[in-house]
Amino acid sequence: MSKPSAADAELVLRLYEIRRDPELRKARQWLLSEFKATTWDEVEAQYLSGTEPDRYFRMVTSYWEMLAAMVNRGVLNEDLYFDTTGEHVVVWNRIKAIVPGARAKIRPTYLWNLEQLVRRHLAWRESTYATAAEVIEAGSQLRSKGAKPPKSVKMKKLKKRAR
């Protein structure tokens, strides 16, 4: 993917501001702590009734689906996004069991953008985690009392891999 731009950084900050909205905060907290449905039928019976949980469920899922569409379509730099958040993975794990039923009853593409984004983010983590851990370790050792990096760590190689 291309190098993140100033516009990407601005969008990340704006999306963070939106997440700080008091109602969205309540909704996110509710989904992560009180949402218990494991099937779409349970969602319909327990949460989609015009009540506060209904509003919270729709608010959180639509926020993350919208954000995922932006990343999936290249509006927001994927690497920058993956570097700065992971809550969408937690949300997806919380609701993924209900998605097949929703797709059968509502539409086949229900939360498709979110699912695709989470899949790519998890693959990105797998491909970058080892490199990130090495770079962090080498950097930590360099900062402590002028220590040199371990012989097994070639900084040039790490810098190249970190790009």
Side-chain angles (χ1 to χ4, degrees):
M1 188 167 240
S2 63
K3 183 179 178 182
S5 67
D8 289 312
E10 288 292 327
L11 183 52
V12 165
L13 292 172
R14 177 65 181 123
L15 292 167
Y16 182 76
E17 281 180 34
I18 293 168
R19 283 176 54 203
R20 292 179 58 221
D21 173 82
E23 283 302 301
L24 185 54
R25 275 187 186 261
K26 285 180 196 174
R28 289 169 40 232
Q29 178 62 33
W30 172 85
L31 187 92
L32 297 177
S33 64
E34 296 178 42
F35 179 77
K36 304 292 184 215
T38 58
T39 68
W40 183 251
D41 289 336
E42 290 175 10
V43 171
E44 288 181 318
Q46 297 173 21
Y47 302 113
L48 301 185
S49 57
T51 61
E52 192 169 79
D54 177 9
R55 186 168 51 87
Y56 286 169
F57 179 81
R58 292 173 194 271
M59 187 182 299
V60 174
T61 56
S62 64
Y63 174 81
W64 289 111
E65 179 70 358
M66 175 189 68
L67 194 148
M70 288 182 205
V71 178
N72 292 346
R73 298 289 184 165
V75 173
L76 175 57
N77 180 279
E78 183 175 273
D79 290 325
L80 178 64
Y81 178 73
F82 290 164
D83 272 340
T84 59
T85 192
E87 185 177 333
H88 59 284
V89 176
V90 176
V91 168
W92 174 254
N93 286 334
R94 191 82 167 118
I95 63 170
K96 68 183 174 184
I98 62 101
V99 171
R103 288 178 178 168
K105 287 191 174 183
I106 300 173
R107 67 180 179 283
T109 58
Y110 181 76
L111 298 179
W112 183 87
N113 281 295
L114 179 57
E115 179 181 13
Q116 298 310 307
L117 182 68
V118 169
R119 287 176 190 240
R120 284 199 326 281
H121 192 160
L122 294 176
W124 178 88
R125 282 182 184 175
E126 285 182 27
S127 70
T128 60
Y129 180 76
T131 301
E134 289 174 17
V135 170
I136 291 166
E137 179 63 25
S140 295
Q141 291 177 13
L142 286 173
R143 283 190 291 272
S144 62
K145 299 184 182 182
K148 294 181 182 179
K151 291 181 183 180
S152 64
V153 177
K154 305 276 188 208
M155 288 309 288
K156 211 179 230 185
K157 182 180 176 184
L158 290 176
K159 286 179 184 175
K160 187 176 183 180
R161 288 170 82 191
R163 287 185 201 157

